[in-house]
Amino acid sequence: MNYDIIGDIHGHADELEMLLQKLGYYLLNGIYQHPEGRKVMFLGDYIDRGPKIRETLHIVKNMCDAGNAEAIMGNHEFNAVCFHTPDKENGGFYRKHTFTEINQHFETLKQFKGFETEWELFLNWFKKLPLFIEKDHFRAVHACWDDKHINWLKKNYKEELTIDFLANFNINGSRENEIIEETLKGKEHIPTNGDVFFDKDGIERKECRVKWWQPLENRIIYKDILMMCSLEYGNRPIGDDKEHLYISNKTVFFGHYWLKGNPVIKNDKAICLDYSVAKNGQLVAFKSEYLKVLNKEMGFIY
Ligand SMILES: [Mn+2]
């Protein structure tokens, strides 16, 4: 089975429809399908930020329900479930309702105003989205594939975000917390010199996102493995810090990282498909059969 793997959409339904059409999908009874029976693999982050979140969810879920696509959970879907699930034990919700959280979720809340029943339906669908998918010839995860986390999930995750799971997730230092954070939001590194920086929402952070997909031979100074850091820290040699290395013969596709420009392959075993459609970038797909060819970059469609 050949898949078209598609990165973070964030409510950009027009770009999604254009990309699906470019890939050869067409609408039949309101559902996109492919004449050759190809399937889409969606990598998560369907909601928040963009102008057509409801439309995006209808396209993606309809395709999944019809068997024309599979979809995994992004951190935005996880956050939405937490945001809307009351914490009966401690009061409030499993995600805080302060400015930062409302701001991140604002477009979704606004666009679903007056469509509460429909939202409820999608929220229940989010709860059942898999946290990762493994196929014969590739893997899919929203932010980071770490074998020890995936193995834990295979054994312990009940295929749904239950109240018990959310309660455990909210305990600092719990296994559930670490695994969700790293699987859906990625690996982080705290600079040892006390550096801080500001993320794209203007929030002060002391952790830097780690480019865990960077192959070993390219890891020399910290700038090589950190998405964002100060010049001074970035120029420090990494030394023997080999953590966060993805080693497998099977390629993993992921989104989440807001990469810029045209898609490139830096490591053909770990390919990011998020090129910031929600920030003047582009929605990117990869045709899975191109994993078998020498020039794999021919597999990108955008
Ligand atoms: Mn994300």
Side-chain angles (χ1 to χ4, degrees):
M1 165 77 68
N2 289 326
Y3 280 82
D4 298 302
I5 306 147
I6 297 183
D8 308 28
I9 306 161
H10 281 304
H12 285 261
D14 290 346
E15 287 86 343
L16 174 59
E17 291 198 79
M18 279 191 289
L19 182 62
L20 287 171
Q21 285 162 20
K22 207 168 186 175
L23 290 162
Y25 292 78
Y26 65 97
L27 272 179
L28 185 74
N29 302 323
I31 302 167
Y32 276 100
Q33 65 164 44
H34 200 281
E36 294 154 25
R38 299 178 66 91
K39 263 189 181 189
V40 172
M41 176 69 71
F42 290 108
L43 296 179
D45 279 6
Y46 314 110
I47 63 167
D48 297 341
R49 309 198 192 276
K52 291 190 174 176
I53 295 164
R54 289 181 53 230
E55 292 83 346
T56 299
L57 287 174
H58 281 290
I59 294 169
V60 172
K61 185 174 180 296
N62 281 344
M63 287 183 75
C64 289
D65 291 347
N68 303 338
E70 293 174 53
I72 56 173
M73 193 187 299
N75 56 312
H76 283 256
E77 288 75 47
F78 180 83
N79 287 347
V81 170
C82 293
F83 189 97
H84 294 274
T85 308
D87 180 344
K88 295 207 175 87
E89 219 165 296
N90 305 302
F93 293 82
Y94 286 111
R95 185 167 167 82
K96 286 184 292 189
H97 286 195
T98 56
F99 178 77
T100 309
E101 293 79 18
I102 294 172
N103 191 39
Q104 198 193 55
H105 193 35
F106 183 74
E107 276 302 322
T108 306
L109 295 170
K110 193 176 89 182
Q111 292 172 36
F112 272 97
K113 208 165 163 43
F115 300 93
E116 283 76 16
T117 320
E118 194 183 303
W119 172 243
E120 209 53 46
L121 197 108
F122 285 125
L123 212 46
N124 284 325
W125 180 64
F126 293 167
K127 289 177 193 166
K128 297 188 179 78
L129 291 175
L131 301 173
F132 64 91
I133 288 179
E134 178 141 32
K135 295 287 167 195
D136 288 345
H137 49 315
F138 70 89
R139 296 162 163 174
V141 71
H142 182 63
C144 179
W145 187 287
D146 182 325
D147 278 329
K148 68 176 187 293
H149 294 345
I150 301 295
N151 288 335
W152 188 92
L153 288 168
K154 281 180 184 167
K155 266 200 214 118
N156 302 291
Y157 187 66
K158 303 283 181 261
E159 293 173 0
E160 186 172 350
L161 290 177
T162 59
I163 295 288
D164 280 352
F165 189 89
L166 295 182
N168 289 335
F169 166 78
N170 264 7
I171 299 168
N172 256 335
S174 69
R175 204 71 205 277
E176 287 83 350
N177 188 278
E178 183 196 3
I179 288 171
I180 288 290
E181 289 289 329
E182 296 197 353
T183 305
L184 301 188
K185 305 172 191 181
K187 301 277 187 183
E188 291 183 326
H189 173 90
I190 299 176
T192 51
N193 66 348
D195 268 353
V196 292
F197 64 98
F198 295 87
D199 72 10
K200 62 188 177 315
D201 290 324
I203 309 297
E204 189 182 296
R205 304 264 181 203
K206 47 182 198 302
E207 316 84 14
C208 308
R209 285 184 174 182
V210 172
K211 294 189 239 179
W212 57 271
W213 56 92
Q214 193 74 277
L216 192 56
E217 62 270 23
N218 295 349
R219 297 176 182 217
I220 297 153
I221 53 176
Y222 272 104
K223 201 167 66 178
D224 298 331
I225 57 162
L226 299 180
M227 296 289 291
M228 228 192 257
C229 63
S230 71
L231 202 61
E232 188 273 321
Y233 195 76
N235 283 323
R236 292 186 185 198
I238 296 174
D240 289 331
D241 184 7
K242 301 285 185 283
E243 58 178 329
H244 314 319
L245 199 61
Y246 178 78
I247 303 170
S248 171
N249 288 327
K250 207 183 263 192
T251 296
V252 59
F253 289 93
F254 57 98
H256 189 65
Y257 285 96
W258 299 86
L259 301 188
K260 293 194 189 92
N262 290 334
V264 289
I265 295 179
K266 296 220 172 98
N267 174 354
D268 64 7
K269 296 293 177 250
I271 300 175
C272 183
L273 294 177
D274 177 21
Y275 282 84
S276 306
V277 66
K279 215 176 162 190
N280 300 317
Q282 47 209 345
L283 189 64
V284 173
F286 187 90
K287 294 162 86 84
S288 66
E289 64 271 34
Y290 281 84
L291 283 174
K292 295 185 203 114
V293 309
L294 206 55
N295 182 5
K296 296 180 176 48
E297 290 188 353
M298 286 169 59
F300 287 123
I301 306 290
Y302 52 98

